[in-house]
């Protein structure tokens, strides 16, 4: 009975220890961990591009555009959280993390700007679309770089 | 002529009433990630729901009693109680998802935050359940839900590469960026969405509400066998819209606002208005059905008087159960839980509970004491046994796959 209890305690301890925050084992692991939120961000920006394009063409209502951009803002918030909570292995992956976080924040700023335009304030359609395009390019470039490193 | 009209109405309502928030979300998510490579699951699910809905309708028409009344009598209170607990909880989860779906659809129409719509949606569902006749309730939501045909129209308007879609559908494979475990997780979710247990409880109790007899069996069979497959076509159309617009761009669907974008792209604001009306009708109709199913299952198990054909004062505990379930659903949603996440969990847990719903129906449908000469034939039983194997496999694999894949993420 004691042996069984001790074994159970060891298993529980090992499980808890496995959940502890610590460094990823390799740079490749860090790169892989950053690619997921970057892909999420690319998906959010691409959705925002569609919504902005449709509103500009008169095919979407401001209400649906607003809701769509708000939803994508939430996706970017989650992606930012995933990037910012990674514990980097070394200085190189720390730089990747900083670049990824900057790219996600830039995407969020572009979506926020788009939402302001959809609600009748902020920059014009061209500026909004350009900001989203730039953000999409940056996310794409960073994702490719990290995929190559993973 | 009246008979033909009744038949047409039944089929149209079955098509319009087939889709709910689970079908809408799961098909769009799957389409954006796997294209049409999981369309075969919709086919398997539709054949399954036709088989068992028809069986439960037959049980109700022949015996004059709904499924849960007989389950308790036939299987005993302990087994039936376990069945009730699982079915009731899954039903409550589905009701929560549907009320959340109404709020999200109303947000699309108004851009007003869903948490302001949730109590309104809950109140509206209760008012309709309390005040409206069963047939009116069923026909209106089913017919308005038919506007979701706009997804099928959008597929043609988007001008897809039909060869690519056909390849995805007829030579299904796991996309390079997705793992096998995730593919099978979504296969089970899609299967659970198509075969949601509440549809069977609602169908069998509805048969009693509408006083079906053996004479009505052929019409009910036609409603199911024609209406549900067309509903399945609409499910595939939702996945196709996502596959055409989102898959090539690497967009993953995570919100209801994304699901309507391909329709707006295809047909502009008019199509957008139609699809929003359709989503409100589909989620509202399903919220009515799940509310009623919660009352039906508990009242039938406990032996309380039930049914909308009775005045609320004569079925007080039946109505009280529905009110409590609606209050719980609204309260859960007001905690700011994401209704889409609730939906995704509800379809997977539906898959887990499938054997508890479908095995007892098969047992009763083969019992001459209840069915007399209308017991299942060999062909029906053959199909049903194949489905039992599929259902049990899906049920057993659902939770492990959910853990392994991080709920498909």
């Amino acid at each position: 009975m004691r042996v069984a209890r001790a074994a159970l305690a060891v298993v529980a301890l090992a499980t808890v220890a496995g959940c502890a925050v610590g460094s990823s084992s390799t740079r490749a692991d860090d790169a892989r961990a950053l690619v997921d939120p970057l892909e999420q961000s690319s998906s959010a920006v691409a959705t925002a591009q569609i919504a902005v394009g449709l509103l500009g063409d008169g095919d979407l209502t401001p209400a649906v555009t607003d809701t769509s951009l708000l939803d994508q803002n939430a996706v970017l918030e989650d992606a930012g959280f995933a990037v910012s909570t990674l514990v980097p292995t070394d200085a190189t992956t720390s730089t990747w993390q900083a670049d990824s976080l900057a790219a996600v924040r830039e995407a969020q700023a572009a979506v926020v700007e788009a939402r302001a335009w959809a609600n009748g304030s902020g920059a014009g359609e061209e500026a909004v679309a350009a900001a989203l395009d730039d953000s999409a390019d940056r996310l794409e470039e960073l994702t490719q770089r990290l995929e190559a490193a993973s | 002529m009246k008979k033909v009209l009744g038949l047409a109405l039944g089929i149209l309502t079955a098509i319009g009433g087939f889709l709910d928030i689970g079908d809408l979300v799961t098909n769009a998510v799957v389409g954006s990630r796997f294209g049409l490579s999981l369309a075969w699951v919709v086919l398997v699910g539709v054949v399954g729901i036709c088989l068992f809905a028809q069986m439960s309708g037959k049980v109700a028409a022949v015996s004059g009693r709904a499924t849960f009344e007989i389950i308790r009598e036939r299987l005993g209170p302990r087994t039936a109680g376990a069945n009730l607990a699982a079915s009731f909880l899954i039903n409550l989860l589905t009701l929560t998802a549907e009320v959340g779906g109404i709020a999200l659809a109303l947000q699309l129409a108004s851009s007003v935050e869903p948490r302001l719509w949730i109590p309104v949606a809950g109140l509206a569902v209760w008012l309709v359940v309390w005040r409206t006749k069963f047939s009116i309730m069923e026909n209106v939501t089913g017919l308005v839900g038919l506007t979701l045909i706009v997804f099928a129209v959008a597929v043609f308007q988007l001008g897809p590469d039909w060869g690519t879609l056909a390849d995805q559908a007829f030579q299904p494979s796991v996309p390079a960026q997705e793992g096998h475990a995730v593919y099978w997780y979504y296969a089970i979710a899609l299967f659970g969405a198509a075969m949601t247990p509440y549809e069977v409880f609602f169908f069998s109790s509805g048969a009693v509400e509408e006083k079906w007899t053996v004479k009505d069996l052929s019409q009910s069979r036609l409603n199911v066998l024609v209406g549900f497959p067309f509903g399945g076509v609409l499910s595939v159309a939702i996945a196709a819209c996502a596959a055409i617009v989102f898959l090539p761009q690497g967009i993953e669907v995570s919100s209801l606002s994304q699901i309507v974008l391909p329709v707006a792209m295809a047909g502009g604001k008019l199509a957008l208005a139609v699809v929003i009306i359709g989503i409100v009708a589909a989620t509202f109709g399903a919220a009515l059905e799940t509310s009623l199913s919660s009352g039906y299952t508990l009242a039938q198990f406990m032996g309380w008087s039930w049914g909308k054909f009775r005045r609320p004062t004569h079925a007080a505990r039946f109505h009280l159960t529905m009110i409590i379930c609606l209050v719980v659903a609204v309260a859960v949603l007001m905690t700011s839980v994401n209704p889409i996440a609730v939906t995704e969990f509800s379809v997977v847990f539906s898959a887990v509970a499938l054997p508890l719903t479908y095995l007892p129906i098969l047992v009763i449908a083969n019992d001459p004491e209840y069915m007399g000469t209308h017991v299942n034939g060999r062909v029906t039983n053959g199909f049903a046994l194949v489905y039992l194997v599929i259902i049990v496999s899906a049920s057993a694999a659902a939770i492990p796959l959910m853990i392994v894949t991080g709920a498909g993420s």
Side-chain angles (χ1 to χ4, degrees), chain B residues 343-367:
Chain B
T343 304
E344 288 176 344
F345 280 112
S346 78
V347 292
V348 175
F349 282 107
S350 288
V352 175
L354 288 178
L356 291 171
T357 307
Y358 293 107
L359 180 60
I361 291 170
L362 182 59
V363 170
I364 295 163
N366 278 288
D367 191 335

Side-chain angles (χ1 to χ4, degrees), chain A residues 23-96:
Chain A
S23 297
S24 307
S25 52
T26 64
R27 279 185 188 176
D29 289 335
D30 281 1
R32 268 194 294 274
L34 290 169
V35 164
D36 281 346
L38 287 176
E39 284 178 345
Q40 255 181 298
S41 306
S42 293
S43 164
V45 171
T47 304
Q49 285 174 311
I50 293 175
V52 166
L54 287 172
L55 182 66
D57 294 343
D59 288 335
L60 207 60
T61 60
V64 175
T65 314
D66 178 67
T67 307
S68 185
L69 294 171
L70 191 63
D71 288 337
Q72 298 321 308
N73 195 8
V75 171
L76 289 165
E77 194 62 46
D78 289 347
F81 181 78
V83 171
S84 62
T85 48
L86 178 86
V87 179
T89 308
D90 56 25
T92 305
T93 59
S94 183
T95 310
W96 291 346

